[in-house]
Amino acid sequence: MFSEMLKNLREKRPLVHCITNYVTVNDCANILLACGGSPIMADDSSEVEEITSICGGLDINIGTLNKNTIPAMFLAGKKANELNHPVVLDPVGAGASTLRTNTAKELIEKVKFTVIRGNISEIKTLALGSGRTKGVDADIADAVTEENIADVMKFAKNFARETKAIIAITGAIDIVCDAEKAYIIRNGHPMMSMITGSGCMLTALITAYITANQGKNLEATAAAVAAMGLCGELAYKKLEENNAGNSTYRNYLIDEIYKLRGEKLDEAAKVEVR
């Protein structure tokens, strides 16, 4: 099933509008090109509606908010909703500051998101007001484990029901769900936490997958998450072979997204459906 999602992505080559943060904007653009999509970055209020109109999907990432980009996010999000384009929210650092938390909550209230993707602390902050966000990273006390996975899945399904969005909680164990069905994904490697932007790149990747597979948003989101985790594993194998470091790992990760084939994704995805 996941191979079909990747095949559609490579055939349709969706144009994705990213309002993302300046720490990872280049990585997001490159991973979109690598997976088969096409990126355009625009965050000025005077053009975001026009840019969104020519794209297939919208990625909103709050990683480096400022007084100029916040209004642009609302304008682009509402325009995408008018056009029935998929919209993905990455609430980077929600819980770390009042500005981030309140902006993410207001976006959820005023824009219909197809997918909300974040780490467990960010999602708990938005849903419960109680996540332990550590800067832009999840706090270890919030981590999804084999022991608490059933409780986290129940919480995620409830948040999906409340927001009418697919919820993707990513970390060592990933949970992708709507109100009724959850995919538990166990691909990935700890090295992914040693580079800046693995989460931001994943959000851009999800946007590309769902834009190319509309009507199959849950499955496409799970496919994107599994693909990213698998490529993280493959990149680490190459890293070990070449005795390289974390900067090289980022490049290997993008390379593996570029080289990924559907048969490999179906074969190596570690996915459980609940």
Side-chain angles (χ1 to χ4, degrees):
M1 179 174 59
F2 287 173
S3 62
E4 178 190 349
M5 307 291 155
L6 181 55
K7 178 174 179 287
N8 290 339
L9 172 54
R10 296 246 165 91
E11 287 179 352
K12 294 180 181 179
R13 299 195 59 82
L15 181 60
V16 175
H17 178 193
C18 299
I19 303 178
T20 188
N21 71 76
Y22 53 70
V23 178
T24 63
V25 61
N26 183 254
D27 295 329
C28 291
N30 278 314
I31 205 143
L32 284 169
L33 289 171
C35 75
S38 183
I40 184 167
M41 276 59 180
D43 61 11
D44 192 290
S45 293
S46 64
E47 71 166 353
V48 289
E49 291 174 295
E50 186 178 0
I51 294 298
T52 287
S53 296
I54 65 170
C55 294
L58 173 63
D59 168 13
I60 295 179
N61 176 309
I62 70 166
T64 49
L65 287 177
N66 62 62
K67 63 183 180 181
N68 297 316
T69 57
I70 292 173
M73 291 174 179
F74 285 95
L75 287 170
K78 290 176 181 178
K79 175 57 71 173
N81 285 169
E82 288 176 18
L83 299 169
N84 292 316
H85 291 175
V87 190
V88 182
L89 174 65
D90 191 334
V92 178
S97 75
T98 302
L99 178 65
R100 289 173 189 255
T101 304
N102 289 348
T103 300
K105 287 182 176 180
E106 188 178 356
L107 280 164
I108 291 170
E109 289 173 7
K110 296 183 178 179
V111 175
K112 176 174 172 36
F113 287 98
T114 313
V115 180
I116 301 170
R117 188 221 67 85
N119 64 46
I120 181 61
S121 296
E122 292 161 348
I123 299 299
K124 284 182 73 174
T125 293
L126 297 180
L128 307 173
S130 62
R132 301 179 182 89
T133 302
K134 183 181 179 183
V136 297
D137 297 317
D139 191 290
I140 193 168
D142 286 333
V144 180
T145 65
E146 296 296 345
E147 290 70 33
N148 69 11
I149 195 168
D151 290 336
V152 176
M153 185 175 59
K154 181 179 178 181
F155 148 74
K157 286 183 176 181
N158 287 336
F159 192 42
R161 186 174 295 109
E162 176 187 334
T163 59
K164 297 180 174 57
I166 292 159
I167 304 301
I169 300 173
T170 55
I173 301 172
D174 305 313
I175 297 175
V176 177
C177 71
D178 59 16
E180 305 299 331
K181 182 178 181 181
Y183 288 85
I184 312 300
I185 301 166
R186 294 180 173 85
N187 291 99
H189 193 278
M191 191 68 187
M192 297 174 80
S193 68
M194 296 302 295
I195 60 170
T196 298
S198 56
C200 299
M201 285 189 277
L202 174 54
T203 302
L205 194 67
I206 289 170
T207 311
Y209 267 82
I210 64 173
T211 301
N213 292 280
Q214 293 187 50
K216 298 181 179 178
N217 294 325
L218 180 61
E219 293 81 3
T221 302
V225 172
M228 189 70 168
L230 172 59
C231 288
E233 296 169 10
L234 297 171
Y236 187 75
K237 288 182 182 178
K238 189 172 181 183
L239 192 75
E240 280 194 312
E241 291 169 4
N242 292 283
N243 193 30
N246 66 329
S247 180
T248 302
Y249 180 74
R250 179 191 62 196
N251 292 334
Y252 285 165
L253 178 58
I254 296 171
D255 285 347
E256 294 299 334
I257 290 289
Y258 177 80
K259 295 190 296 180
L260 184 63
R261 294 295 174 261
E263 299 78 13
K264 179 67 174 179
L265 180 56
D266 278 345
E267 170 194 328
K270 302 168 188 172
V271 180
E272 176 189 357
V273 181
R274 295 195 192 181

